[in-house]
Amino acid sequence: HNRKNNITTLGRGGSDLTATAIGAALKVDEIQVWKDVDGILTADPRLVENAVPVSHVSYDEASELAYFGAQVLHPIAMQPALKADIPVRVKNSYNPSAPGTVIDKVGNPDRMVTAITCKKKITLMDIHSLQMLGAYGFLGAVFGDFEKHKLSVDVLASSEVSISVTLDKKQPEADIELLCEDLKQIAEVELHTGRAILTLIADVGRSSDVLATVFRSFSAHGIKVEMMSQGASKVNISFIVKEDQIDDAILKLHQCFFEYR
């Protein structure tokens, strides 16, 4: 920002946002974003050697992928293109002949799972209180404390007497400790560090098939799910696992959904 508090320089993903903003303003037929990979891949190629490009994804899928760890596009960069309904094509500067990935409103509705991504160095917070049972205002009090300490949540799951949330590595430890002290006035609080979020970008309408495959694989390979979240997004199913199991979990699921066909 300059002295008048006007934005002068954009941060990470600024070139993507610039491209989509200008493209939307000019009402172009297609916006191209050039990267160092052949588009959006089914998984991180640094971990999964057999990761392959995805030909089409929806704006929602691309935004969820970016938020939960994929480094190809910044989540905010999709917004101008989405509002103007202009497709975005992700191309590879080092392989310009590759078709890349087209991002539009439709994506590929016939696909069960689009991609797998993850966030590491996650803290899982369990909040338990019998005061929640049949009470109103409890969730408001809990998230009022989160607002007070300016802490945001990635993934959330709740039951009648408990809430589980995840906090990423960007959240200051000192602020998390202060939050716990406040929450302990109304609930029991447990923190579990060394966790990771594994996110499937998938057709939630076919979640029974997706989950059957996931838990069959996890059970066979001893991977324990500590929390799961589905429903708020129609393209995202997230699982919390121990960080030392996340790479194995991704490799096994990639084999199930993209390699063993």
Side-chain angles (χ1 to χ4, degrees):
H1 293 78
N2 61 17
R3 293 178 181 177
K4 295 182 179 180
N5 207 35
N6 296 317
I7 295 173
T8 57
T9 306
L10 299 174
R12 184 182 87 77
S15 59
D16 298 341
L17 178 57
T18 301
T20 56
I22 293 174
L26 295 176
K27 297 181 173 59
V28 298
D29 294 328
E30 178 181 278
I31 298 164
Q32 293 188 354
V33 177
W34 290 76
K35 300 291 181 178
D36 58 358
V37 290
D38 290 340
I40 293 175
L41 305 182
T42 51
D44 187 339
R46 294 171 296 182
L47 172 64
V48 183
E49 292 183 1
N50 296 324
V52 295
V54 181
S55 60
H56 286 79
V57 302
S58 68
Y59 294 119
D60 287 343
E61 289 173 327
S63 296
E64 294 280 347
L65 270 168
Y67 183 79
F68 283 101
Q71 298 298 312
V72 176
L73 290 169
H74 192 279
I76 297 174
M78 289 298 94
Q79 293 181 7
L82 172 60
K83 291 178 181 178
D85 194 16
I86 297 173
V88 177
R89 186 182 296 270
V90 182
K91 296 273 287 179
N92 187 350
S93 302
Y94 300 100
N95 185 19
S97 62
T101 299
V102 175
I103 306 169
D104 57 24
K105 280 189 175 180
V106 180
N108 183 350
D110 297 327
R111 189 173 48 218
M112 186 164 70
V113 175
T114 298
I116 307 170
T117 188
C118 73
K119 265 190 173 184
K120 297 182 177 179
K121 297 183 180 178
I122 294 296
T123 297
L124 174 63
M125 177 184 288
D126 291 328
I127 305 165
H128 179 86
S129 175
L130 293 177
Q131 294 181 39
M132 285 184 65
L133 192 60
Y136 60 87
F138 183 82
L139 286 175
V142 168
F143 288 106
D145 285 337
F146 274 85
E147 182 180 11
K148 172 184 173 182
H149 296 287
K150 295 181 171 60
L151 293 171
S152 60
V153 168
D154 282 326
V155 179
L156 178 149
S158 66
S159 69
E160 289 185 341
V161 293
S162 65
I163 310 168
S164 294
V165 300
T166 62
L167 302 162
D168 71 21
K169 60 185 177 182
K170 297 176 184 177
Q171 315 282 10
E173 288 186 17
D175 291 344
I176 294 175
E177 291 176 5
L178 290 172
L179 170 64
C180 289
E181 291 302 314
D182 284 350
L183 290 174
K184 285 177 181 177
Q185 305 300 314
I186 57 173
E188 298 175 8
V189 181
E190 292 183 12
L191 290 179
H192 308 278
T193 57
R195 288 347 186 228
I197 304 171
L198 186 156
T199 297
L200 293 180
I201 304 304
D203 179 359
V204 172
R206 300 172 66 184
S207 62
S208 295
D209 295 332
V210 174
L211 293 175
T213 301
V214 169
F215 285 110
R216 185 165 54 245
S217 176
F218 284 177
S219 176
H221 298 98
I223 297 167
K224 180 183 176 183
V225 175
E226 299 188 4
M227 172 181 156
M228 185 190 123
S229 180
Q230 175 207 327
S233 167
K234 300 306 178 187
V235 298
N236 167 348
I237 304 174
S238 291
F239 308 87
I240 311 304
V241 301
K242 290 183 177 178
E243 191 167 335
D244 60 10
Q245 292 189 312
I246 186 68
D247 288 356
D248 192 37
I250 291 171
L251 287 166
K252 295 299 187 292
L253 290 186
H254 194 273
Q255 290 173 352
C256 292
F257 288 115
F258 301 106
E259 298 174 42
Y260 296 160
R261 293 184 176 179

